Amino acid sequence: MPKEKKVSYLINFIGVAVVFLLLMALFESNVLGTRTNYIRGIATTACYTIIMVASLNLLTGFMGEFSLGHAGFMSVGAYASAVVSLALTESGVELPTFVLFILVLLVGGVAAAITGILVGVPALRLRGDYLCIVTVAFAEIIRVIFCNLEITGGGRTLSGIPSLSNFYWVFWVMVICVAIMYLYVRSRFGRTVMAIREDYIAAAASGINVTFYKVLTFTVSAFFAGIAGAIYAHYMTAMIPTNFNFMYSSEFLTEVIIGGTGSLTGSIIGATFLSALPELMRKFATYRMLAYSVVLVLVMIFKPGGIFGTWEFSLTRILKKLAGKGETKAVTGGAAHE
């Protein structure tokens, strides 16, 4: 890895650490008073939503395929992790809380990834509207199965799930997940997937195994959706299959489109904003989906590629621009003095 890229990653990591420390100071100083836990809860929701939206963006933005069943992978991760954590708790197995948290994340991610392979191998031979319909059908099949399995509550609320989603842990899990997705997009696998998106026929004609790369990306996306589901399950501590319906998948897709298809920065900003929006509109909760629709229509009219398009935030780039402006002013000032 080039030295310049290592320095860039280090600077951006320091920026993330500063944001974390600011949030930690905000929550621990109790400046918000009685609203501290409430705001922390919104922040936790934003973190797992960011993972979900970024994972969906791998499909929609970088692979160029629409999915309206992404909540199905989230539900697989949520229920698989919840069943494992409940089984361990009921059997009397005592694990450190952090170890159990990491274990349920891996269980949720792997369960969703396996499901992604099973769905992706036959489904990704389809494209466009046909693939979209298949993903909707998959999500509905999963929902119906969970509604009829005794182990998942049989359509009733599955409660008693251990509360493991500490905000500070969830924040760093979100950072790691987004970083891995960013590196995937910038790797040869990501570049190959984007080449397939740009020209499917040319990519296939050049010898690229199109189905393999699409299934791989689909599986990676499902894995991270499963991790988000595990966080969701152990934050809510109670679930019902009907929560993971078509509308829930549509919300994630809306956040991807508004933020920018092909921009993980857009996914982060879009997910954060739309996670806070229901709370900001609590008095108008009935009109929440109407607000989403209006925002989506406006974005499609004035910014078809999303607010951020394909632009990615880089702290290094900003610092270089500021340094460049400083040097320009110094040179100009020196020239004027002469």
Side-chain angles (χ1 to χ4, degrees):
M1 183 184 294
K3 183 179 179 181
E4 186 178 350
K5 186 170 287 188
K6 289 182 180 178
V7 172
S8 176
Y9 288 160
L10 178 60
I11 291 172
N12 283 287
F13 175 77
I14 292 171
V16 171
V18 169
V19 172
F20 173 76
L21 291 174
L22 289 173
L23 289 171
M24 189 174 180
L26 179 67
F27 294 142
E28 297 301 323
S29 63
N30 205 29
V31 174
L32 301 170
T34 56
R35 292 174 62 84
T36 300
N37 289 333
Y38 174 70
I39 300 299
R40 186 189 281 119
I42 294 175
T44 304
T45 301
C47 286
Y48 68 70
T49 304
I50 287 171
I51 299 173
M52 274 298 295
V53 176
S55 69
L56 180 56
N57 209 351
L58 288 181
L59 299 181
T60 304
F62 298 102
M63 196 168 78
E65 299 289 358
F66 278 89
S67 171
L68 279 172
H70 213 56
F73 295 118
M74 185 181 188
S75 67
V76 170
Y79 275 100
S81 63
V83 167
V84 169
S85 62
L86 282 170
L88 289 173
T89 303
E90 291 171 2
S91 63
V93 176
E94 294 185 3
L95 293 174
T97 307
F98 182 73
V99 174
L100 182 58
F101 177 67
I102 297 300
L103 176 63
V104 297
L105 291 186
L106 292 175
V107 168
V110 170
I114 293 172
T115 308
I117 295 172
L118 295 176
V119 174
V121 170
L124 288 172
R125 298 180 184 279
L126 305 172
R127 298 173 60 197
D129 298 341
Y130 301 104
L131 177 60
C132 194
I133 292 169
V134 168
T135 57
V136 173
F138 153 71
E140 285 301 301
I141 290 170
I142 290 294
R143 186 180 64 80
V144 171
I145 289 174
F146 286 157
C147 282
N148 289 277
L149 287 178
E150 190 62 32
I151 195 172
T152 58
R156 299 182 301 276
T157 302
L158 180 65
S159 57
I161 303 169
S163 179
L164 303 174
S165 294
N166 180 297
F167 168 72
Y168 303 126
W169 299 349
V170 172
F171 178 89
W172 285 111
V173 169
M174 179 269 293
V175 170
I176 292 169
C177 288
V178 172
I180 293 173
M181 284 185 267
Y182 177 83
L183 293 174
Y184 178 81
V185 168
R186 293 294 183 271
S187 69
R188 68 183 183 87
F189 299 103
R191 290 193 295 270
T192 302
V193 168
M194 286 188 278
I196 295 170
R197 177 196 66 192
E198 294 300 320
D199 196 322
Y200 182 93
I201 296 175
S206 64
I208 293 173
N209 188 337
V210 174
T211 302
F212 168 78
Y213 283 100
K214 290 178 72 174
V215 171
L216 175 64
T217 305
F218 198 75
T219 304
V220 171
S221 175
F223 175 79
F224 288 112
I227 288 179
I231 295 172
Y232 172 88
H234 293 84
Y235 170 64
M236 301 300 291
T237 68
M239 297 183 299
I240 189 168
T242 51
N243 290 344
F244 304 96
N245 54 20
F246 172 77
M247 293 302 296
Y248 202 34
S249 293
S250 299
E251 285 184 34
F252 294 132
L253 184 59
T254 300
E255 291 167 14
V256 169
I257 295 172
I258 290 174
T261 51
S263 170
L264 292 177
T265 302
S267 296
I268 294 169
I269 302 299
T272 302
F273 172 72
L274 292 177
S275 294
L277 187 61
E279 304 304 325
L280 296 173
M281 295 184 62
R282 182 171 287 276
K283 293 182 179 178
F284 309 97
T286 308
Y287 305 102
R288 179 169 58 93
M289 291 308 297
L290 176 61
Y292 282 1
S293 303
V294 170
V295 172
L296 182 60
V297 169
L298 291 175
V299 168
M300 289 295 95
I301 292 174
F302 298 105
K303 196 79 172 176
I307 295 173
F308 290 91
T310 57
W311 180 83
E312 296 288 5
F313 173 82
S314 172
L315 187 57
T316 310
R317 190 189 309 126
I318 292 173
L319 292 175
K320 283 182 178 179
K321 285 185 179 179
L322 292 174
K325 287 180 181 179
E327 290 175 4
T328 303
K329 286 180 180 179
V331 170
T332 306
H337 180 71
E338 290 175 4

